[in-house]
């Protein structure tokens, strides 16, 4: 009987602790969710028309960036995340969606789609996210977006062109919202440059 009584008490205690943990999670404030937007690239009018259909592959990123958390570097050797704030999706997933939308909106390409969408593209963009974080530079907080892109021919799977798109913009104001606005502007600049470069490379093929 003593053994059964002890086991019953332990089970009841475990259930109580589990209930407390669930109650704590439920009562914790939900994080603010942020997303970025696809902008018109501004490079369509008068630009060279690209040839072929274009696919955008999934971006490669380090574990620190392959997250829905918003990265912050108080110094070059320390990584933190903004408390209480998240991207709506994993950063590489969000960035690929915006890459596809921006390239589509430019009107410079026959078609643009994410790889895996059952469309056979003639060329593919493959990218590494080298940086996607806010940084402290002296007394200034800035946002740093760095995408290294490869344009690959699907016919022979060879890289036909590469380019690094690197933009740093200051954050105007304090808090998360001005930081997100700086991320939006920096990624828009990267995507605008990427659109012009990709269209020019494909037009020359």
């Amino acid at each position: 009987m003593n053994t059964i009584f002890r086991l019953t008490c332990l089970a009841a205690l475990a259930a109580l602790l589990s209930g407390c943990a669930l109650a704590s999670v439920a009562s914790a404030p939900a994080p603010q969710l942020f997303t970025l937007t696809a902008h018109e690239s501004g490079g369509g009018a008068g630009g060279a028309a690209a040839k072929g259909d274009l696919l955008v592959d999934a971006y490669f990123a380090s574990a620190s960036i392959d997250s829905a958390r918003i990265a912050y570097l108080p110094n070059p050797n320390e990584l933190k995340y903004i408390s209480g704030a998240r991207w709506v999706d994993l950063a590489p997933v969000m960035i690929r969606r915006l890459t596809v939308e921006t390239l589509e909106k430019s009107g410079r390409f026959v078609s643009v789609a994410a790889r895996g969408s059952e469309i056979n593209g003639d060329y593919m963009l493959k990218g590494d996210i080298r940086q996607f974080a806010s940084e402290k530079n002296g007394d200034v907080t800035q946002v740093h977006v760095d995408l290294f892109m490869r344009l690959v021919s699907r016919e022979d799977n060879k890289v036909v062109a590469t380019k690094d798109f690197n933009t740093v913009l200051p954050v105007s104001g304090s808090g998360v919202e001005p930081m997100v606005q700086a991320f939006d502007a920096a990624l828009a600049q990267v995507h605008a440059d990427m659109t012009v470069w990709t269209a020019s490379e494909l037009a020359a093929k």
Side-chain angles (χ1 to χ4, degrees):
M1 288 294 293
N2 286 340
T3 301
I4 295 174
F5 179 74
R6 284 198 299 271
L7 290 174
T8 302
C9 289
L10 287 172
L13 179 60
L16 179 61
L17 291 174
S18 176
C20 290
L22 290 175
S24 176
V25 169
S27 62
Q32 285 183 282
L33 296 179
F34 293 94
T35 190
L36 303 180
T37 53
H39 296 264
E40 295 286 350
S41 70
K51 301 174 183 177
D53 301 312
L54 181 65
L55 297 178
V56 181
D57 202 2
Y59 279 96
F60 172 81
S62 65
S64 62
I65 296 173
D66 191 9
S67 168
R69 304 179 74 182
I70 302 175
Y72 170 65
L73 280 69
N75 63 69
N77 301 112
E78 183 179 5
L79 173 70
K80 295 183 177 181
Y81 294 100
I82 303 300
S83 176
R86 299 286 191 277
W87 298 120
V88 293
D89 211 331
L90 299 177
V93 175
M94 179 178 65
I95 293 172
R96 178 165 77 154
R97 173 178 59 81
L98 295 171
T99 300
V100 172
E101 289 182 18
T102 302
L103 293 170
E104 280 181 330
K105 285 185 175 183
S106 73
R108 298 279 294 272
F109 306 92
V110 176
S111 69
V112 185
R115 184 182 186 184
S117 55
E118 298 183 357
I119 294 176
N120 294 321
D122 301 292
Y123 293 89
M124 182 162 55
L125 278 175
K126 301 174 72 72
D128 298 340
I129 305 175
R130 293 185 170 177
Q131 191 57 279
F132 189 70
S134 57
E135 304 171 338
K136 196 71 173 177
N137 183 13
D139 295 330
V140 177
T141 300
Q142 60 190 27
V143 160
H144 188 181
V145 176
D146 186 354
L147 305 184
F148 183 83
M149 306 302 298
R150 302 170 185 84
L151 183 61
V152 179
S153 170
R154 297 269 286 169
E155 183 179 358
D156 52 14
N157 203 35
K158 288 185 177 180
V159 176
V160 296
T162 64
K163 189 171 178 64
D164 185 41
F165 299 93
N166 191 7
T167 297
V168 177
L169 293 179
V171 177
S172 300
S174 60
V176 183
E177 287 81 2
M179 183 179 295
V180 171
Q181 291 172 3
F183 269 109
D184 198 57
L187 186 60
Q189 182 59 61
V190 163
H191 276 151
D193 295 342
M194 186 190 302
T195 299
V196 173
W197 171 75
T198 306
S200 298
E201 289 292 336
L202 292 184
K205 302 305 177 193

